[in-house]
Amino acid sequence: MSKIISRTSTRTPAIEVIKDALALYESNRISRWQVINRLIHLGLSADDANVIADHGSIPPHILGALGVPRR
Protein backbone atom coordinates (compact mmCIF):
# COMPACT_ATOMS: atom_id res chain seq x y z
CA MET A 1 0.00 0.00 0.00
CA SER A 2 1.44 3.37 -0.98
CA LYS A 3 1.70 6.19 1.50
CA ILE A 4 0.12 9.52 0.54
CA ILE A 5 2.15 12.54 1.54
CA SER A 6 0.36 15.83 1.97
CA ARG A 7 2.04 18.55 -0.04
CA THR A 8 0.61 21.30 2.14
CA SER A 9 2.55 20.19 5.21
CA THR A 10 5.95 20.72 3.59
CA ARG A 11 5.02 23.68 1.39
CA THR A 12 6.60 26.99 2.30
CA PRO A 13 4.08 29.83 2.44
CA ALA A 14 4.35 32.22 -0.50
CA ILE A 15 5.12 35.18 1.74
CA GLU A 16 8.17 33.36 3.13
CA VAL A 17 9.43 32.54 -0.37
CA ILE A 18 9.09 36.21 -1.33
CA LYS A 19 10.90 37.38 1.81
CA ASP A 20 13.70 34.88 1.25
CA ALA A 21 14.09 35.88 -2.39
CA LEU A 22 14.29 39.57 -1.47
CA ALA A 23 16.81 38.86 1.29
CA LEU A 24 19.01 36.88 -1.10
CA TYR A 25 18.74 39.64 -3.71
CA GLU A 26 19.67 42.36 -1.22
CA SER A 27 22.72 40.37 -0.14
CA ASN A 28 23.75 39.93 -3.81
CA ARG A 29 23.39 36.15 -3.72
CA ILE A 30 20.83 36.02 -6.54
CA SER A 31 20.04 38.32 -9.44
CA ARG A 32 16.91 40.40 -10.01
CA TRP A 33 15.82 37.95 -12.71
CA GLN A 34 16.06 35.05 -10.30
CA VAL A 35 13.79 36.91 -7.88
CA ILE A 36 11.28 37.51 -10.68
CA ASN A 37 11.41 33.85 -11.77
CA ARG A 38 10.76 32.65 -8.21
CA LEU A 39 7.78 34.97 -7.86
CA ILE A 40 6.31 33.98 -11.20
CA HIS A 41 6.72 30.34 -10.18
CA LEU A 42 4.56 31.13 -7.12
CA GLY A 43 1.81 32.31 -9.43
CA LEU A 44 2.33 36.07 -9.30
CA SER A 45 1.98 38.01 -12.52
CA ALA A 46 5.10 39.24 -14.28
CA ASP A 47 4.06 42.82 -13.51
CA ASP A 48 3.68 42.14 -9.80
CA ALA A 49 6.97 40.25 -9.72
CA ASN A 50 8.72 43.21 -11.37
CA VAL A 51 7.19 45.66 -8.87
CA ILE A 52 8.39 43.56 -5.93
CA ALA A 53 11.88 43.13 -7.40
CA ASP A 54 12.17 46.85 -8.24
CA HIS A 55 10.93 48.18 -4.91
CA GLY A 56 12.27 45.46 -2.64
CA SER A 57 8.98 45.30 -0.77
CA ILE A 58 5.56 43.74 -1.18
CA PRO A 59 2.72 46.17 -2.03
CA PRO A 60 -0.48 45.95 0.06
CA HIS A 61 -2.64 44.65 -2.80
CA ILE A 62 -0.32 41.67 -3.26
CA LEU A 63 -0.23 41.00 0.49
CA GLY A 64 -4.02 40.97 0.48
CA ALA A 65 -4.07 38.52 -2.42
CA LEU A 66 -1.71 36.24 -0.49
CA GLY A 67 -4.06 36.27 2.49
CA VAL A 68 -1.87 38.33 4.80
CA PRO A 69 -4.09 40.39 7.12
CA ARG A 70 -3.57 44.15 7.24
CA ARG A 71 -2.19 45.63 10.42
Side-chain angles (χ1 to χ4, degrees):
M1 186 195 253
S2 64
K3 187 176 180 182
I4 298 174
I5 300 172
S6 173
R7 295 184 71 160
T8 57
S9 65
T10 59
R11 184 172 172 231
T12 304
I15 191 73
E16 293 300 321
V17 173
I18 295 170
K19 286 180 182 179
D20 290 342
L22 289 174
L24 290 171
Y25 177 57
E26 289 174 1
S27 65
N28 293 321
R29 291 187 175 171
I30 63 174
S31 70
R32 179 178 174 275
W33 293 109
Q34 288 172 302
V35 172
I36 293 169
N37 285 338
R38 288 179 187 209
L39 301 184
I40 290 172
H41 183 73
L42 288 175
L44 292 173
S45 71
D47 291 336
D48 287 343
N50 274 302
V51 168
I52 292 171
D54 288 342
H55 296 284
S57 61
I58 308 166
H61 74 278
I62 297 173
L63 286 173
L66 294 172
V68 177
R70 288 190 172 202
R71 293 184 192 192

